[in-house]
Amino acid sequence: MWTIAVASANPAKINAVKQCFKSNFPEQTIKVSGYAVASGVAEQPLTSAETLLGAQNRLQALKLQIAADYYVAIEAGLDIDMTFAWMLIEHNGKLGKARSASLMLPPEALHLLAEGLQLGDAMDQLFGTTNIKQAGGAIGLLTHNHLSRASVYQQALTLALIPFLNPQRF
């Protein structure tokens, strides 16, 4: 059995990791657990570089906290007027990484972010939802639930698995 540690207690992120590993390694028994660890960056990263640093910090903190076969960190942030997330997966010292799809944010959301709100809180305020970041996220709201945070994360996580799916190449 593989143990997979996720640097988050967010159910949407944990579920995305679980579905990604089940899809890519269907014969493998897995146990996926989430752990709250600090990113060491602002609660709402405002650049791609800051978002990547947050994911890297979460990954390192997770490795100090728990022993696992795979370590996964997902950090969502902004890149100008869009939101996206960095995915990092580490196994036996090898690192896989990818960025999720980016999506445009409404001007009202960008205004609330500039005032210091986190994206989930801004979206909850604009759409009248509660804790959307642990459900479909801004992605779900803005695509009328054609996509969800977990579905977009699962795709990016599969891309981050490329070095492990093709070990002879990496």
Side-chain angles (χ1 to χ4, degrees), residues 7-59:
S8 177
N10 184 318
K13 292 180 180 182
I14 295 166
N15 186 51
V17 171
K18 187 179 298 183
Q19 293 308 313
C20 174
F21 273 82
K22 281 184 179 181
S23 174
N24 284 286
F25 304 102
E27 304 300 320
Q28 183 63 48
T29 304
I30 62 170
K31 179 183 178 194
V32 180
S33 301
Y35 303 89
V37 294
S39 69
V41 298
E43 287 190 39
Q44 181 59 72
L46 298 177
T47 66
S48 179
E50 184 181 18
T51 306
L52 177 58
L53 179 60
Q56 292 167 331
N57 291 344
R58 286 186 194 277
L59 192 71

Side-chain angles (χ1 to χ4, degrees), residues 2-6 17 21 25 28 30-31 33 59 62-63 66-72 89-92 94 161 164-165:
W2 288 350
T3 56
I4 302 161
V6 182
V17 171
F21 273 82
F25 304 102
Q28 183 63 48
I30 62 170
K31 179 183 178 194
S33 301
L59 192 71
L62 182 63
K63 289 169 45 181
I66 189 87
D69 295 304
Y70 285 85
Y71 299 93
V72 181
I89 301 175
E90 188 173 316
H91 172 64
N92 289 335
K94 184 183 289 188
L161 277 174
F164 311 108
L165 296 170

Side-chain angles (χ1 to χ4, degrees), residues 43 112 117-126 129 131-133:
E43 287 190 39
L112 292 171
L117 282 180
Q118 290 185 36
L119 179 57
D121 298 330
M123 298 307 282
D124 283 341
Q125 184 173 322
L126 290 174
T129 53
N131 204 15
I132 195 64
K133 67 183 177 183

